[in-house]
Amino acid sequence: MNKAILIGRLTRDPEVRYTQSGVAVCTFTLAVDRRFARKDENNGQPTADFIPIVCWRKLAEVCGNNLVKGRRISVEGRIQVRSYDAQDGSKRYVTEIIADEVEFLDSRSSAPQAGGFGAPAPAAPQQPADAGSFGPSIPEEEIPF
């Protein structure tokens, strides 16, 4: 079984391109904090892995239109390793996640503007207890579809 589940923050704004046949493809990099680091690495500072993510078709368009640098998301997909010949004639290998599902874990306005990727996002405003809803209220402009 080939399945990957990641939670992290975008290191830059997503890039959306289209194939010659008009299929949307979106690429971005996800900074994923390591839970455990060796004590002698980085003087006790948290470390992160930077994982390339690729989305296709409608998911690519949704991500390109709604994600920005610093947003916290979860990605579910599969690991893919591909190779290509570089201009210098050497063979290069690329490992990336092909996303099947992307879940936005914070609002666009709570993405950190500057600072580290491990910084917690500000807490979402609490709804009144008598709101009578089954979950948090999401403004129309934040719904990606």
Side-chain angles (χ1 to χ4, degrees), residues 109-126:
S109 60
S110 69
Q113 301 303 315
F117 296 107
Q126 296 294 320

Side-chain angles (χ1 to χ4, degrees), residues 27 37 44 54 57 69 76 84 94-95:
T27 58
V54 179
R57 298 174 184 77
K69 177 181 176 177
E76 187 173 323
Y84 65 94
V94 178
T95 302

Side-chain angles (χ1 to χ4, degrees), residues 21-120:
S21 60
V23 177
V25 59
C26 178
T27 58
F28 54 89
T29 302
L30 197 63
V32 179
D33 290 333
R34 289 189 187 175
R35 243 185 199 179
F36 305 103
R38 291 182 15 204
K39 292 181 183 179
D40 58 341
E41 285 183 7
N42 297 332
N43 298 323
Q45 296 295 317
T47 58
D49 292 304
F50 298 90
I51 314 291
I53 310 292
V54 179
C55 304
W56 291 90
R57 298 174 184 77
K58 183 67 176 170
L59 182 58
E61 293 175 348
V62 169
C63 289
N65 291 333
N66 293 285
L67 293 178
V68 293
K69 177 181 176 177
R71 289 263 335 242
R72 187 167 182 259
I73 64 169
S74 74
V75 174
E76 187 173 323
R78 62 183 168 85
I79 299 171
Q80 174 178 286
V81 179
R82 60 183 172 85
S83 64
Y84 65 94
D85 294 324
Q87 290 181 346
D88 62 3
S90 64
K91 191 169 202 103
R92 304 275 173 96
Y93 293 90
V94 178
T95 302
E96 56 201 3
I97 303 296
I98 306 302
D100 295 323
E101 296 181 31
V102 174
E103 184 175 339
F104 306 161
L105 300 178
D106 61 5
S107 66
R108 186 181 308 212
S109 60
S110 69
Q113 301 303 315
F117 296 107

